[in-house]
Amino acid sequence: MRKHGIWVLWAVALGMALAALLLLPGAGPAVSTAAAEPAGYIALTFDDGPWPGTTRVLLDGLEERGAKATFFLIGKQISTRPELIQRMADEGHQIGLHSWDHVQLSGLDRAGIDRQLDQCRHALEELVGESHFMVRPPYGYVDEALKQWAQAPIICWSVDTEDWRDEDVERIIQAVLKDAGDGDIVLMHDIFHSSVTAALACVDELLERGYCLVTVEELFALRGEVPEDGEVYHCLPGE
């Protein structure tokens, strides 16, 4: 028993010595600590919210995955779910304007454009303390008057999922995975359960492919560009 105990102690001592050697600078196999270069950056954007059940589920899913998104909000719905908008801001998502009543902004005069955007702008400013928001025009319709009086960058899209058309989860997923790549701005809506389900499935697959999901503002910053008021943007491809 005594001899066996000595061998055990010797083995333990040897193991500790080897472990100490591995902790020495330069010892052991070389392990790279550099993060892998992303495959690219994609901005998922959601129109027409906030919506009680679906927007909350989407925010929960984005938080779990560490992904960011941009929400273009309908002004008259802002007061109905202020806690969701505050959560968007607190969790690092971007908030933008989608008019007060979801009306077509092209064709309006300055007074009409001001009424649709300023009401929305002021309502958001009271909630989150910001005053300058990007604009997503309903239906993507833009004219010279809107460019002149929007007082904000105008953000359209390069990938349209048409998720409102049939609420087909698998088709929506394929629309994103087939067409979205580095610098793309993807249009979705957070008012449909099917869109939320599809969006989170897309996030999972895009993360697996090495993409980062960022806000539109972050996409500009990553490209070293400053968005200009009145300019229309569809995507921000890399070099």
Side-chain angles (χ1 to χ4, degrees):
M1 290 292 293
R2 183 180 178 188
K3 184 176 180 180
H4 176 73
I6 291 172
W7 278 107
V8 170
L9 291 172
W10 182 86
V12 171
L14 179 60
M16 294 176 64
L18 288 172
L21 285 172
L22 289 173
L23 293 175
L24 291 174
V31 178
S32 174
T33 57
E37 189 70 21
Y41 300 90
I42 296 173
L44 297 182
T45 67
F46 297 90
D47 289 3
D48 295 356
W51 207 249
T54 50
T55 302
R56 182 175 289 106
V57 172
L58 179 58
L59 288 172
D60 288 344
L62 293 172
E63 183 181 24
E64 289 172 7
R65 293 159 173 80
K68 304 303 178 189
T70 301
F71 294 86
F72 291 100
L73 306 179
I74 298 295
K76 64 183 181 182
Q77 292 171 204
I78 291 172
S79 63
T80 66
R81 285 296 181 274
E83 74 283 358
L84 291 179
I85 297 168
Q86 189 62 59
R87 181 180 172 185
M88 291 173 189
D90 291 344
E91 294 180 0
H93 302 293
Q94 182 182 347
I95 297 168
L97 313 180
H98 198 42
S99 82
W100 185 261
D101 296 304
H102 200 277
V103 300
Q104 183 176 322
L105 298 176
S106 61
L108 297 181
D109 58 13
R110 181 178 181 179
I113 292 170
D114 286 348
R115 183 168 57 253
Q116 285 295 322
L117 296 184
D118 283 350
Q119 276 186 276
C120 195
R121 190 176 282 122
H122 294 153
L124 284 174
E125 186 177 6
E126 289 184 5
L127 270 178
V128 299
E130 298 178 29
S131 59
H132 195 261
F133 302 93
M134 294 181 180
V135 169
R136 163 70 56 77
Y139 316 109
Y141 295 149
V142 179
D143 62 8
E144 292 304 314
L146 180 58
K147 292 179 184 179
Q148 184 175 0
W149 304 116
Q151 303 178 62
I154 300 169
I155 308 300
C156 290
W157 55 84
S158 52
V159 177
D160 186 355
T161 62
E162 296 187 346
D163 54 345
W164 49 267
R165 178 158 56 89
D166 52 18
E167 299 186 44
D168 183 328
V169 171
E170 188 56 35
R171 186 196 62 75
I172 297 166
I173 292 171
Q174 292 309 313
V176 175
L177 299 183
K178 174 178 174 290
D179 296 329
D182 186 32
D184 275 317
I185 299 173
V186 180
L187 170 62
M188 303 185 80
H189 299 78
D190 57 321
I191 60 175
F192 306 117
H193 288 285
S194 54
S195 298
V196 171
T197 300
L200 295 177
C202 288
V203 171
D204 288 338
E205 179 59 28
L206 291 171
L207 290 174
E208 183 68 22
R209 295 181 184 184
Y211 286 98
C212 291
L213 285 306
V214 299
T215 67
V216 174
E217 287 177 330
E218 289 170 334
L219 204 53
F220 275 99
L222 287 161
R223 298 297 190 253
E225 295 189 30
V226 178
E228 298 183 13
D229 290 357
E231 289 295 316
V232 181
Y233 301 92
H234 293 85
C235 63
L236 287 160
E239 297 181 357

